[in-house]
Amino acid sequence: MAHGSSIAKRVVFYVAIIVVWQGIFMAKVLPEVLFPSPLQVIDTLVHTASTGELPFAVGTSLWRLFAGFALSVVGGVLIGLYMARYKTVYETLGSLVLGLQSIPSIAWVPVGFIWFGLSDAGILFVIVIGTIFSMAMSTYSAIRNIPPIYIRAARNMGAKGVSLLANVVFPAALPHLVSGMRHAWGFAWRALLNAEVLFSFLGLGFMLSVGRELFSMAQVISVMIVIMVIGLAIDLLIFSKIEKTVETKWGLR
């Protein structure tokens, strides 16, 4: 019942936004070319979907996103693990990771372009470099927050090396790791779009760039809506469910 009420509130909220949007359009506060109506945006969505342009862009962006995110998670977990395991690594590499984490992904786009040219490799580089340091710091924090008694107890029982990591460290750190992955996913999304807009090389970011060049605000808004819907869907269907499952299993909710 509560879930149904929540859905109803969201439906009313989004319908209200569309009504206000249409009202502003009809009031002609801005020229039509700068502020299209909801119907014009829907027409653009339907047109780009029917020509295959939108599905191809979605597919291209998603494979880049998942590939770059997977590489970032693997690399970030390894870096974070070493920083948590060895104090010297944290005191040296950790400061560099913190500094690199503060660099916006858009700043890496020229580097990716110069090193890899106009290619998927350049875009993947921007996604990975814009995400991996956030994942590394999340992993470090997750492992450092494990109660020391867990580690001591496991070692007293003979666990060490890979066995200690697989059976104690990662299970204990998993709730924080999942939150870190959810956070890193947002970084990966932003890095992807920054790269695609500036590289102008296929994908949803490329469609945004084309909309800007054609001065088609309807296309720009329609692509932004698609990006938002994909982001919400992935968070709802994947990360939210994983996080709830882990928290329930670990007795955190």
Side-chain angles (χ1 to χ4, degrees):
M1 184 66 181
H3 184 62
S5 172
S6 175
I7 293 175
K9 287 177 184 176
R10 290 179 187 176
V11 170
V12 171
F13 174 72
Y14 286 110
V15 168
I17 288 178
I18 294 173
V19 170
V20 171
W21 178 359
Q22 180 66 27
I24 295 174
F25 172 76
M26 294 177 69
K28 298 190 181 302
V29 176
L30 291 171
E32 185 176 324
V33 69
L34 298 181
F35 195 84
S37 70
L39 188 58
Q40 289 172 319
V41 172
I42 292 172
D43 281 345
T44 303
L45 271 175
V46 171
H47 174 71
T48 52
S50 63
T51 60
E53 183 183 1
L54 181 61
F56 182 74
V58 170
T60 302
S61 291
L62 284 182
W63 91 256
R64 288 170 176 165
L65 184 61
F66 279 107
F69 179 68
L71 291 171
S72 303
V73 169
V74 172
V77 168
L78 288 175
I79 294 172
L81 179 62
Y82 273 97
M83 289 197 303
R85 177 67 179 83
Y86 301 104
K87 187 178 179 183
T88 302
V89 175
Y90 176 70
E91 290 174 342
T92 52
L93 181 63
S95 60
L96 179 63
V97 170
L98 270 175
L100 292 173
Q101 186 190 16
S102 65
I103 299 177
S105 57
I106 196 170
W108 292 103
V109 174
V111 181
F113 184 80
I114 292 170
W115 281 357
F116 299 98
L118 188 62
S119 65
D120 285 323
I123 293 177
L124 285 176
F125 167 79
V126 176
I127 297 171
V128 172
I129 206 74
T131 309
I132 192 171
F133 303 118
S134 168
M135 193 64 221
M137 292 309 300
S138 296
T139 303
Y140 170 79
S141 299
I143 294 176
R144 295 295 295 175
N145 282 325
I146 298 174
I149 192 171
Y150 288 9
I151 309 294
R152 286 200 296 270
R155 282 177 174 159
N156 288 337
M157 296 174 70
K160 59 182 180 180
V162 176
S163 174
L164 181 66
L165 286 176
N167 297 314
V168 180
V169 174
F170 280 119
L174 194 55
H176 293 292
L177 281 176
V178 172
S179 296
M181 289 172 64
R182 197 174 184 179
H183 190 60
W185 176 258
F187 275 88
W189 245 131
R190 286 189 284 275
L192 168 72
L193 292 172
N194 284 334
E196 286 185 343
V197 167
L198 295 179
F199 271 59
S200 292
F201 178 53
L202 305 177
L204 289 169
F206 174 67
M207 284 190 69
L208 276 176
S209 183
V210 170
R212 178 199 63 198
E213 292 174 3
L214 297 176
F215 216 70
S216 171
M217 186 59 82
Q219 176 158 328
V220 171
I221 294 176
S222 66
V223 175
M224 290 172 67
I225 290 174
V226 171
I227 292 169
M228 183 182 71
V229 169
I230 292 174
L232 287 173
I234 291 176
D235 187 75
L236 185 67
L237 298 176
I238 299 178
F239 290 107
S240 181
K241 287 191 174 182
I242 293 175
E243 194 171 58
K244 285 179 181 175
T245 301
V246 170
E247 288 181 353
T248 302
K249 194 171 180 180
W250 266 246
L252 300 176
R253 67 166 60 212

